[in-house]
Amino acid sequence: MGRKKTSELDAVATKQSIVATAERLFRDIGYAKTTVADIAKALGMSPANVYRYFPTKAAINEAICDRLVHSIEAESWESLGEEGTATERLTRFIVAYHTIIKRSIIKEKKLYDMVAVAMDEHWDVVQQHSYRMCNYISIILEQGMAAGEFRRMDGYKMAIALHEALTVFLYPSLLEHRVNESDGGSSMLEELEQLLDLLFYGLSAKA
């Protein structure tokens, strides 16, 4: 039993090392230019050994993306704080998410390219991320309904509708086009805030 547990721990540690090394190379070289052989060389192991833990480079990328999107979610959720109305808190959450994605496009282009591949290929990790984002939004909507701030509705269905309405400000590939077409400055944020004002007006219990 002790040997088996140690072996399992070693396997987890090796997988974590592969993911961490791959992420560093993807940041430095870029996803497209990094090969499994590069990852193996940096770890001092053979490519065949890497393939024991991950069947493809895409599988490594998926593991990295899973870690990254959880980090983005956590940072966005922390922006909520405990003060303010549901409208104010949901605005902070969405603006924080938008800002993090935009920052990655502008300042961490190589890492963003890796996430964009995952988004465009509709990997399960990205779909699960979208589900969680809708869950976060629905939680805040439910809180707003309980406080009498929002009209009664199906919170999760409305969360999906809001998420889709905001896609151009949240989805990396679409946001990249907006960043390239603009100065990447405050104008895009102002547009997002104006759209949120419109959406929240429709949600208001007083509308």
Side-chain angles (χ1 to χ4, degrees), residues 36 40 45-53:
V36 171
M45 63 173 63
S46 68
N49 203 21
V50 173
Y51 284 124
R52 284 180 56 201
Y53 298 94

Side-chain angles (χ1 to χ4, degrees), residues 159-171:
I160 293 173
L162 284 174
H163 190 252
E164 291 180 351
L166 295 165
T167 297
V168 70
F169 293 99
L170 305 179
Y171 196 84

Side-chain angles (χ1 to χ4, degrees), residues 93-205:
F93 175 71
I94 293 171
V95 168
Y97 185 92
H98 164 78
T99 302
I100 295 166
I101 298 297
K102 187 171 66 175
R103 182 182 66 207
S104 72
I105 293 172
I106 296 173
K107 295 184 177 180
E108 296 185 84
K109 186 64 170 64
K110 289 187 174 67
L111 187 63
Y112 157 76
D113 287 342
M114 182 195 70
V115 176
V117 169
M119 290 286 191
D120 290 341
E121 294 185 0
H122 305 290
W123 290 350
D124 181 66
V125 64
V126 176
Q127 293 177 345
Q128 294 302 318
H129 168 59
S130 295
Y131 296 149
R132 290 193 300 272
M133 287 294 293
C134 289
N135 278 327
Y136 295 141
I137 294 172
S138 68
I139 288 170
I140 307 171
L141 290 177
E142 293 288 350
Q143 293 171 345
M145 285 187 278
E149 183 180 345
F150 297 146
R151 59 183 173 82
R152 300 306 304 179
M153 67 191 106
D154 185 313
Y156 190 75
K157 288 183 179 178
M158 184 56 69
I160 293 173
L162 284 174
H163 190 252
E164 291 180 351
L166 295 165
T167 297
V168 70
F169 293 99
L170 305 179
Y171 196 84
S173 295
L174 296 177
L175 185 54
E176 182 184 22
H177 289 299
R178 297 297 305 278
V179 169
N180 291 337
E181 291 172 357
S182 69
D183 58 4
S186 61
S187 61
M188 196 183 305
L189 180 58
E190 291 171 358
E191 290 176 20
L192 172 58
E193 291 174 339
Q194 289 171 357
L195 176 57
L196 288 173
D197 284 342
L198 177 63
L199 295 173
F200 290 141
Y201 178 80
L203 294 174
S204 174

Side-chain angles (χ1 to χ4, degrees), residues 78-90 92 143:
E78 287 174 4
S79 71
L80 281 173
E82 298 181 358
E83 302 297 325
T85 64
T87 295
E88 291 168 343
R89 295 174 73 241
L90 187 50
R92 288 199 293 268
Q143 293 171 345

